[in-house]
Amino acid sequence: SKLPLLQTLKNEISKWSSSVTPFAVPAAAESLPSGAGVPRQMQQDGYTLGDLPYVQSLGGPLLFTAPHSLKLNRGGGDKGERLRVHLRERWAAELAVKLARACATHFDFVGSFVVWNPKTAVKKDPGNLDPNYMTEEQQPSSPWHHALHHFREEYQGKLPILHIDVHGKKDRKGNLDLDVGLGPMEVLWEKQGVNRLKGKIGEDMKLVFSKHARTYRSRASRRRKHMPLTVRIDPYMNGYWGDNTYQTMSHQSVLLGTPSLQLEIPYTMRQELVNNDELLAEFAK
């Protein structure tokens, strides 16, 4: 339903010193969907800008995105692949917004974020292509891709920056692994530095969940056996589909010079992180 995300947006943004700071309108606004470059009035909720189907906030040098927080079309474009539907990943947008807000606990800024707006976004709208599965031909018409450009232009060279792309996956029968994907960086960037980053992220995330002693029932297990929340640092879903093909959000960021990682989070872990403030605070740290 739309209610949990609406409530999360309202609650988290109400804690900020000001309402959402929208990303600037791209200079090449004519390349965006019809009307995207037209100035819009911020609504009273503090985050809905006119009738735009997404919420973008430029808060600080950590960017959180949740491109699958809406049922979308994906495919098409110059690769000749048929259009198909990608289902909404519940709790992904709520988690992205909460993580952006949690930055204020550890830094002197709130994070930046981009999520679909549940008030204005329409499921399977032909104009809302999957931002995480785009050809280079499709990217100029995507406001999500433009947001990656604006984020880079605002902070690159001034502060260390990082893009974290938040996704959901189904619970597995045998584990509740969080998949940490750095595929684009591993392929396109200097390997020694990427391996150091990869090792540090994996070590820190594993420590968070190892201290969280509780176990959970996997929704995929017929016997619903109890399992701990765990981390996988070399997953198949690592954010890189290959060269000269569709690009994920993290791949697009890396090509722009922004370090980026993709988190594929099982349903049970997403639900727990969104509803357990103590665990979320440790995870965000």
Side-chain angles (χ1 to χ4, degrees):
S1 71
K2 296 181 178 182
L3 291 178
L5 178 52
L6 288 170
Q7 194 61 45
T8 297
L9 285 166
K10 180 180 178 181
N11 290 346
E12 298 303 319
I13 291 170
S14 69
K15 300 173 187 174
W16 300 3
S17 59
S18 62
S19 61
V20 165
T21 305
F23 284 71
V25 174
E30 66 275 5
S31 66
L32 286 169
S34 177
V38 178
R40 287 172 166 79
Q41 186 75 28
M42 180 66 75
Q43 295 186 18
Q44 290 184 350
D45 58 23
Y47 60 85
T48 299
L49 193 60
D51 59 352
L52 293 180
Y54 47 84
V55 182
Q56 298 180 339
S57 179
L58 188 62
L62 289 175
L63 170 64
F64 300 90
T65 55
H68 293 157
S69 49
L70 179 73
K71 184 184 287 189
L72 298 165
N73 290 316
R74 64 160 29 183
D78 58 330
K79 303 302 178 188
E81 185 175 307
R82 67 179 178 83
L83 280 175
R84 59 191 191 282
V85 174
H86 191 293
L87 298 178
R88 178 176 72 99
E89 295 167 352
R90 192 177 184 189
W91 307 116
E94 291 90 332
L95 190 51
V97 174
K98 280 178 167 284
L99 286 170
R101 168 61 191 166
C103 289
T105 305
H106 309 289
F107 307 105
D108 60 352
F109 59 82
V110 293
S112 302
F113 70 86
V114 186
V115 298
W116 293 103
N117 190 335
K119 279 188 174 182
T120 54
V122 178
K123 297 177 183 178
K124 297 172 62 178
D125 184 325
N128 295 336
L129 287 177
D130 184 351
N132 199 55
Y133 197 75
M134 304 201 101
T135 66
E136 291 184 3
E137 175 194 59
Q138 293 170 323
Q139 289 166 17
S141 64
S142 169
W144 289 67
H145 183 74
H146 281 270
L148 299 180
H149 278 269
H150 292 309
F151 175 72
R152 180 198 64 176
E153 291 162 7
E154 180 70 20
Y155 295 109
Q156 195 172 54
K158 304 174 188 176
L159 293 166
I161 60 176
L162 179 65
H163 169 215
I164 300 171
D165 197 32
V166 180
H167 290 266
K169 68 173 189 177
K170 294 179 180 179
D171 287 358
R172 304 300 193 246
K173 291 181 180 179
N175 66 71
L176 291 173
D177 282 349
L178 160 63
D179 292 343
V180 182
L182 290 94
M185 291 180 67
E186 291 180 280
V187 172
L188 300 169
W189 284 22
E190 187 267 321
K191 285 184 168 46
Q192 187 175 359
V194 173
N195 286 336
R196 283 200 300 269
L197 175 63
K198 185 177 176 181
K200 178 61 175 171
I201 290 172
E203 179 183 318
D204 289 350
M205 287 188 174
K206 288 175 182 178
L207 181 61
V208 168
F209 293 120
S210 67
K211 292 192 296 186
H212 184 68
R214 183 179 166 187
T215 58
Y216 299 83
R217 289 180 174 178
S218 169
R219 293 161 59 92
S221 173
R222 188 171 295 179
R223 297 181 180 179
R224 303 295 298 275
K225 70 175 183 177
H226 285 260
M227 292 178 280
L229 302 178
T230 45
V231 178
R232 186 178 182 187
I233 203 67
D234 282 304
Y236 169 72
M237 299 287 285
N238 64 8
Y240 185 74
W241 292 113
D243 189 27
N244 193 31
T245 185
Y246 294 91
Q247 296 174 359
T248 63
M249 290 285 288
S250 59
H251 190 175
Q252 294 168 50
S253 271
V254 168
L255 288 173
L256 293 174
T258 302
S260 181
L261 58 94
Q262 176 178 289
L263 300 181
E264 289 280 351
I265 311 175
Y267 183 98
T268 295
M269 185 185 289
R270 297 198 306 276
Q271 187 175 31
E272 183 66 13
L273 284 167
V274 165
N275 293 291
N276 184 331
D277 290 341
E278 183 178 345
L279 180 60
L280 179 74
E282 285 295 316
F283 183 74
K285 188 191 301 183

